[in-house]
Amino acid sequence: MKKIVGIFLVVSLIFVSACSKQTANEGNDDGKIIVTTTIGQIADAAKHIGGDKVAVNSLMGPGTDPHLYKATQGDIAKLEKADIIFYSGLHLEGKMLDVLERINKTKPTYAIAEAIDKESLLSANGGSYAYDPHVWFDINLWKQALEEVKKGLIEIDPKNKDYYEENSQNFFKQLDELHAYAANEMARIPDEQRVLVTAHDAFGYFGKAFDMEVMGLQGLSTDSEYGLGDVQNLVDTLVKRNIKAVFVESSISERSINAVIEGAKKKGHEVKIGGELFSDAMGEEGTDEGTYIGMYKHNVMTIAESLN
């Protein structure tokens, strides 16, 4: 009888161990590090830096607004199965903070934007956030944040340090080329047209990097409300400064910008939609805009063509 009980316990332990391993690496029996990120911009970087050593999951896909996003049960499962987690921080994922802070107690979790030198960050101008979280629009700042991705992967997988170092160097070289391209395109816009008007204030770092004035109907977070007074103030600015184009965003309803366009029209000023920009989310997976570099180039081309 004792032998039977002993055999049963051994079999049970083997079964539990196998199940645990399968749960931790569901869909990944090749030993890759499971990386879970919040936004697609971080996921794209993790793929570049991690290469074939990682399997990357992003919780927020195309058209998703991270300011308003709430974690689902499926998201919780992905976070629990991950070996390492990267999120932006600076309150970008405001409604997920409790979940991310809890998971940080059990596994490596990095708020990558919070590693940036605070003197380089833009103030939230008295809003509910200390800093503007949209740091990926300044490529040089984004590189600082991505050092945390490299750091995290090296800490969890030190034997492949050189691999991650080389991959990050190669990716950063591409980002430097992207910055040079963007600077050249933005320089072509005439001084009087260097005003970027969007639904919410997500392009402050972009404006600072390329000497453009940026105006958003809503604040840094889409969670903030806007009223008739905000619409009217922006309409008055468009009319007074003869601004011809405004931009919609892929992750935000066009309703607010359409209200501005209609308001300007009533004052005899025609304003067109210059195009759709990617702000808080990237494009569809499998497209150029579904990558950080492709998304950034799309925005640059759209802005340059509309404001020239």
Side-chain angles (χ1 to χ4, degrees):
M1 186 65 180
K2 289 183 179 179
K3 285 185 177 180
I4 294 174
V5 171
I7 292 171
F8 176 79
L9 287 173
V10 171
V11 172
S12 297
L13 287 170
I14 292 172
F15 177 78
V16 169
S17 175
C19 287
S20 298
K21 185 175 181 180
Q22 183 177 3
T23 300
N25 295 280
E26 187 172 324
N28 290 286
D29 57 357
D30 51 6
K32 291 186 178 182
I33 296 168
I34 302 177
V35 178
T36 295
T37 74
T38 50
I39 59 175
Q41 293 91 325
I42 302 175
D44 181 72
K47 291 174 184 177
H48 277 279
I49 297 171
D52 59 11
K53 308 297 182 187
V54 302
V56 181
N57 300 304
S58 176
L59 300 183
M60 303 178 195
T64 302
D65 182 349
H67 300 285
L68 302 178
Y69 190 84
K70 295 180 180 179
T72 65
Q73 286 301 115
D75 294 335
I76 301 299
K78 288 179 181 177
L79 291 169
E80 290 177 345
K81 293 172 184 176
D83 296 311
I84 190 168
I85 296 163
F86 298 108
Y87 68 103
S88 176
L90 299 178
H91 289 272
L92 177 72
E93 305 94 342
K95 296 187 180 300
M96 284 190 64
L97 285 183
D98 288 346
V99 172
L100 293 167
E101 286 171 358
R102 283 201 305 270
I103 207 79
N104 184 39
K105 297 176 182 177
T106 62
K107 63 183 62 189
T109 305
Y110 294 79
I112 67 168
E114 294 181 9
I116 296 172
D117 181 359
K118 297 300 185 288
E119 293 184 0
S120 301
L121 296 175
L122 294 176
S123 166
N125 297 321
S128 58
Y129 305 98
Y131 300 103
D132 182 344
H134 305 92
V135 294
W136 55 87
F137 282 124
D138 183 325
I139 294 172
N140 290 326
L141 290 186
W142 191 231
K143 286 165 58 180
Q144 289 184 38
L146 296 186
E147 288 286 350
E148 288 294 286
V149 176
K150 180 183 72 175
K151 172 185 170 183
L153 291 175
I154 289 173
E155 287 185 353
I156 199 173
D157 184 25
K159 68 180 182 296
N160 286 307
K161 176 182 178 181
D162 292 344
Y163 178 81
Y164 300 130
E165 292 276 9
E166 182 178 358
N167 284 354
S168 64
Q169 287 176 10
N170 291 337
F171 186 45
F172 284 9
K173 182 180 179 181
Q174 294 178 52
L175 296 184
D176 289 339
E177 292 169 354
L178 175 63
H179 185 273
Y181 160 80
N184 183 64
E185 290 297 307
M186 291 297 101
R188 296 194 297 111
I189 301 173
D191 289 345
E192 65 274 12
Q193 295 297 319
R194 301 181 70 79
V195 183
L196 179 60
V197 180
T198 58
H200 92 294
D201 199 6
F203 291 87
Y205 290 104
F206 186 91
K208 182 180 178 183
F210 303 113
D211 192 27
M212 292 194 69
E213 187 175 355
V214 177
M215 300 179 186
L217 180 58
Q218 290 173 265
L220 293 176
S221 171
T222 54
D223 199 19
S224 60
E225 297 290 337
Y226 70 92
L228 292 176
D230 299 308
V231 173
Q232 193 56 54
N233 288 338
L234 191 50
V235 166
D236 291 343
T237 300
L238 295 179
V239 173
K240 182 178 179 180
R241 299 182 58 176
N242 196 30
I243 296 171
K244 302 291 188 181
V246 296
F247 297 86
V248 296
E249 299 173 45
S250 66
S251 55
I252 300 175
S253 169
E254 295 182 18
R255 182 177 56 190
S256 60
I257 282 296
N258 284 335
V260 171
I261 292 173
E262 286 302 313
K265 187 175 182 181
K266 289 177 182 178
K267 291 199 169 190
H269 181 64
E270 291 294 329
V271 180
K272 68 177 182 179
I273 293 181
E276 182 182 67
L277 304 179
F278 295 98
S279 55
D280 291 334
M282 302 197 304
E284 294 289 338
E285 188 173 354
T287 66
D288 286 342
E289 294 81 6
T291 68
Y292 174 81
I293 290 175
M295 171 204 75
Y296 209 99
K297 281 186 174 180
H298 166 91
N299 284 353
V300 167
M301 287 187 291
T302 302
I303 294 168
E305 289 174 3
S306 296
L307 297 182
N308 265 313

